[in-house]
Amino acid sequence: DGGITQSPKYLFRKEGQNVTLSCEQNLNHDAMYWYRQDPGQGLRLIYYSQIVNDFQKGDIAEGYSVSREKKESFPLTVTSAQKNPTAFYLCASSIGLRDRRLGYTFGSGTRLTVV
Amino acid sequence: AQSVTQPDIHITVSEGASLELRCNYSYGATPYLFWYVQSPGQGLQLLLKYFSGDTLVQGIKGFEAEFKRSQSSFNLRKPSVHWSDAAEYFCAVWSGYQKVTFGTGTKLQVIP
């Protein structure tokens, strides 16, 4: 079945460390997104990409970086510049940016904790 | 700019009772509207969407939602709630141009 795979499910980061969250999709979708979820705050957009080798900042991009070298993959790096990284991170995709009217497909998320 | 409000943070209903979760949006024209459900520790799953046509939309898991332009609302309903419906529900809006905006969610508790 087609879908989005996020790994790992749980991730622990030490202070000053960079960590990378994986997101892979086999839906043949062009557009991919990263969201951060904190209790009571809904979902906030970190980065999005509509095509390979192109990505745009969302509302809370500071302290994060992404790459889109393959259509299927959109990894998110949480850098040491992100001062409060503990959160639940969700990857999503849509057929294209213009097809967001059809809704998103989400992965099952990665919970990142600073230790 | 578009925005979406879910006024109820937490709702408790008895199993078998009816359910209505509220969603109000702010946008000048008719937006695209969505409801998603999230089980604990999981991603979001699309329940239903509206972008034109019949204002009563049927979704998966027995849910429906009604778009009311005059009230800027898109409330989610289910006639009879099952214990497995306990989850968090998110309303989302998209104008067609900018980002999709999500509400802050409503947690549903189902009691026997």
Side-chain angles (χ1 to χ4, degrees):
Chain A
D1 286 339
I4 296 181
T5 301
Q6 289 188 242
S7 62
K9 190 167 179 62
Y10 300 96
L11 186 58
F12 298 90
R13 192 194 94 166
K14 295 181 180 179
E15 296 284 348
Q17 195 178 45
N18 292 355
V19 291
T20 297
L21 284 60
S22 171
C23 176
E24 302 276 335
Q25 54 102 355
N26 61 0
L27 299 164
N28 200 32
H29 284 177
D30 285 323
M32 297 186 74
Y33 314 83
W34 273 106
Y35 284 91
R36 170 176 171 145
Q37 186 178 23
D38 297 281
Q41 294 195 48
L43 277 68
R44 292 183 289 169
L45 182 63
I46 304 172
Y47 269 99
Y48 64 98
S49 167
Q50 61 176 326
I51 196 171
V52 173
N53 293 323
D54 181 69
F55 45 83
Q56 306 295 326
K57 292 182 179 180
D59 298 321
I60 57 165
E62 185 174 351
Y64 300 97
S65 65
V66 293
S67 63
R68 188 87 185 274
E69 297 177 1
K70 299 186 300 182
K71 184 175 183 177
E72 302 80 16
S73 179
F74 191 40
L76 173 74
T77 296
V78 184
T79 75
S80 57
Q82 171 50 241
K83 297 307 177 189
N84 185 23
T86 295
F88 192 54
Y89 291 87
L90 287 161
C91 181
S93 71
S94 63
I95 296 173
L97 278 190
R98 292 192 181 88
D99 298 295
R100 283 174 284 182
R101 63 187 173 91
L102 301 177
Y104 288 161
T105 299
F106 280 88
S108 56
T110 293
R111 184 165 299 281
L112 174 63
T113 303
V114 174
V115 296
Chain B
Q2 66 195 29
S3 66
V4 60
T5 301
Q6 293 182 248
D8 303 305
I9 297 172
H10 192 274
I11 281 185
T12 300
V13 299
S14 298
E15 191 168 14
S18 63
L19 171 70
E20 183 168 23
L21 302 182
R22 296 184 291 165
C23 173
N24 294 100
Y25 69 89
S26 174
Y27 182 62
T30 299
Y32 301 97
L33 295 159
F34 312 87
W35 275 101
Y36 289 87
V37 61
Q38 184 181 34
S39 297
Q42 298 297 316
L44 278 67
Q45 181 184 20
L46 181 66
L47 282 175
L48 47 78
K49 58 186 179 286
Y50 171 81
F51 48 84
S52 67
D54 193 343
T55 57
L56 185 62
V57 181
Q58 301 297 320
I60 62 171
K61 302 177 186 278
F63 285 92
E64 66 179 25
E66 186 171 12
F67 170 63
K68 292 186 177 180
R69 185 193 307 274
S70 62
Q71 298 176 20
S72 297
S73 68
F74 188 56
N75 293 350
L76 183 71
R77 302 194 295 244
K78 187 169 185 179
S80 177
V81 170
H82 188 261
W83 64 266
S84 60
D85 293 323
E88 190 159 17
Y89 293 80
F90 290 89
C91 183
V93 59
W94 183 49
S95 65
Y97 299 101
Q98 299 174 333
K99 62 174 181 160
V100 174
T101 300
F102 288 84
T104 51
T106 297
K107 278 191 179 171
L108 174 64
Q109 182 182 8
V110 181
I111 55 177

